[in-house]
Amino acid sequence: KQEVTQIPAALSVPEGENLVLNCSFTDSAIYNLQWFRQDPGKGLTSLLLIQSSQREQTSGRLNASLDKSSGRSTLYIAASQPGDSATYLCAPNDYKLSFGAGTTVTVRA
Amino acid sequence: DVKVTQSSRYLVKRTGEKVFLECVQDMDHENMFWYRQDPGLGLRLIYFSYDVKMKEKGDIPEGYSVSREKKERFSLILESASTNQTSMYLCASSSLVLQAGHEQFFGPGTRLTVL
């Protein structure tokens, strides 16, 4: 069974700082890995999808890396803004998604 | 844009009632999923379906059943609701097409309270 760990559990930074969110998973036999954002009481918004053959994926201020062999992914958010405050979830996909507990980010204005 | 919709944002039911949660996607996706999300436990997969009339148990299927009569619609059924089924329920869909990368798209969620 896939086990997913996200560190740190919570993060509070001043506006403008870069964010680094870590994800580790136990089974490297995955198709891809998705990063999601969840606002309180809302559904999940897909941020990035990294295929198992890729090392990284970028979208705007977001960059995600994947080291499948070591079971690690990192999400970088550059120049954080208060609107980035949310919970971020990583989910490796071996046909089913397995979720970590998430990292709750607070960006202070 | 992929759109996944869920029939209700908030639902309040009584113990023992039969509850239907509906999910519809408009992108002709083959795969559909039902998850529940609870504080401290994260998201857990209840059931999924990879084709019409096909279903597979996820990690926590007990107390639930599903129905997929049409490709775009996937229903979660609580045969006899109990208070421990109070939760946020999330539906998702994905394509089987390789180029689509099996990316999952989520609906807005239904917060179910069982009294």
Side-chain angles (χ1 to χ4, degrees):
Chain A
K1 183 177 183 281
Q2 183 78 270
E3 301 288 341
V4 183
T5 303
Q6 290 189 245
I7 294 172
L11 195 55
S12 179
V13 300
E15 184 176 3
E17 269 201 20
N18 297 331
L19 295 167
V20 180
L21 310 180
N22 296 297
C23 170
S24 61
F25 50 95
T26 54
D27 187 349
S28 61
I30 61 172
Y31 291 113
N32 57 51
L33 184 142
Q34 275 185 263
W35 280 94
F36 293 91
R37 169 191 172 128
Q38 187 175 31
D39 294 293
K42 301 289 177 65
L44 275 65
T45 301
S46 182
L47 297 173
L48 288 167
L49 171 76
I50 316 177
Q51 299 290 0
S52 60
S53 57
Q54 294 178 306
R55 298 285 292 183
E56 66 178 84
Q57 187 68 258
T58 297
S59 176
R61 294 184 293 111
L62 305 180
N63 174 275
S65 67
L66 175 64
D67 183 344
K68 200 177 79 151
S69 60
S70 67
R72 293 180 191 278
S73 179
T74 302
L75 178 68
Y76 303 89
I77 303 176
S80 61
Q81 303 168 359
D84 295 329
S85 299
T87 296
Y88 292 83
L89 298 160
C90 81
N93 184 357
D94 55 7
Y95 195 81
K96 303 181 298 180
L97 291 180
S98 298
F99 285 87
T103 296
T104 299
V105 171
T106 303
V107 181
R108 308 185 303 271
Chain B
D1 274 357
V2 175
K3 193 155 188 187
V4 180
T5 57
Q6 296 183 228
S7 51
S8 305
R9 287 303 313 277
Y10 300 94
L11 210 51
V12 179
K13 295 292 182 181
R14 298 217 171 266
T15 303
E17 277 193 74
K18 190 169 186 175
V19 181
F20 293 86
L21 302 183
E22 306 284 341
C23 175
V24 177
Q25 49 93 7
D26 66 357
M27 281 302 291
D28 201 36
H29 283 171
E30 294 81 8
N31 300 327
M32 295 189 75
F33 306 82
W34 275 106
Y35 298 86
R36 66 177 281 178
Q37 185 176 29
D38 301 287
L41 296 175
L43 275 104
R44 294 176 291 168
L45 181 64
I46 305 171
Y47 267 98
F48 66 101
S49 167
Y50 51 88
D51 201 354
V52 175
K53 297 194 185 294
M54 306 302 291
K55 61 184 179 185
E56 292 282 344
K57 293 180 180 178
D59 299 320
I60 51 163
E62 297 78 19
Y64 302 95
S65 62
V66 290
S67 171
R68 193 159 179 209
E69 297 296 320
K70 293 185 177 181
K71 190 175 185 181
E72 68 271 18
R73 188 180 296 271
F74 192 35
S75 302
L76 181 69
I77 304 158
L78 288 65
E79 295 288 343
S80 178
S82 64
T83 54
N84 63 13
Q85 292 178 309
T86 292
S87 187
M88 170 72 105
Y89 290 87
L90 292 159
C91 175
S93 71
S94 69
S95 172
L96 271 178
V97 173
L98 188 63
Q99 289 81 355
H102 307 295
E103 184 175 4
Q104 283 196 25
F105 296 89
F106 280 76
T110 295
R111 183 163 294 282
L112 173 66
T113 301
V114 182
L115 302 175

